[in-house]
Amino acid sequence: MSRPKICTVVSCGETKVDLPAGASTEARLLYDSSVHTCKDRYGCHSDGYYIMSAEYGLVHNQTEIAHYDKTLDEMSDMAIRAWGRSVADDLANVLENRGFDAVVLIGSKTYVGALRPHFDSLPAAVLTPWQTSDYVTGVGRGMAWCNDELNWPENVSIAEEIGTVVSEA
């Protein structure tokens, strides 16, 4: 059996590199926490890698973006629902247009939770290892999970090896 085509979507990070006014950088390079470094390492081993940004929505990891200071944790419930709907719509287009079999969502309960109401509308299996893996019991374990090469999409033969499938398209 050939391995599934996996798209990884990670949440943005609160801490960011300092950029000169008006400057931008690749989305994956903007965030500088140790947690993001682990998520980034995992994402780079996927067939497609995107970031869900509180400011920019769903962005390809190489898209140039500017520094911002916004998190879902500071947004109203209504704004989070609108953000989740917008990101899910963009993600559905990416998954369908690029023929992904599964999407791995790696991030906090807030970010993944904002997308949860839209899982059934995504045209691929949805995996949320940080929320469903028995191994991941906190951020430290989540980082270890991302760093474990055995979990990387290139090293699995079926989506279920990555984590519990939440939704099938």
Side-chain angles (χ1 to χ4, degrees):
M1 172 183 248
S2 64
R3 74 173 186 84
K5 187 173 178 183
I6 305 290
C7 178
T8 296
V9 179
V10 305
S11 59
C12 60
E14 185 175 351
T15 61
K16 299 167 185 72
V17 297
D18 289 326
L19 295 175
S24 63
T25 189
E26 287 183 15
R28 65 178 287 265
L29 302 177
L30 180 62
Y31 313 101
D32 66 354
S33 72
S34 57
V35 176
H36 179 74
T37 300
C38 295
K39 294 185 296 187
D40 179 64
R41 185 174 298 119
Y42 181 91
C44 286
H45 288 275
S46 300
D47 300 300
Y49 170 26
Y50 293 79
I51 296 171
M52 48 183 152
S53 161
E55 177 70 20
Y56 297 105
L58 185 71
V59 295
H60 188 272
N61 75 90
Q62 294 176 338
T63 298
E64 293 272 327
I65 60 174
H67 189 280
Y68 63 94
D69 189 23
K70 184 177 186 179
T71 71
L72 292 189
D73 295 325
E74 298 168 348
M75 295 167 59
S76 71
D77 288 345
M78 189 165 71
I80 291 171
R81 283 192 301 275
W83 178 89
R85 185 173 35 257
S86 174
V87 169
D89 288 347
D90 290 346
L91 181 56
N93 288 330
V94 166
L95 296 172
E96 186 171 333
N97 292 337
R98 301 230 9 241
F100 288 107
D101 299 305
V103 58
V104 178
L105 301 175
I106 300 175
S108 71
K109 183 179 178 181
T110 304
Y111 283 77
V112 173
L115 298 179
R116 186 169 298 283
H118 310 283
F119 284 177
D120 289 340
S121 67
L122 296 175
V126 177
L127 301 107
T128 58
W130 280 27
Q131 283 73 33
T132 57
S133 169
D134 290 337
Y135 175 78
V136 178
T137 57
V139 174
R141 286 272 184 104
M143 291 168 62
W145 185 92
C146 286
N147 283 327
D148 186 344
E149 293 179 24
L150 296 176
N151 293 324
W152 293 352
E154 64 196 25
N155 296 324
V156 299
S157 59
I158 57 173
E160 287 81 3
E161 290 182 28
I162 293 172
T164 303
V165 174
V166 177
S167 171
E168 286 287 344

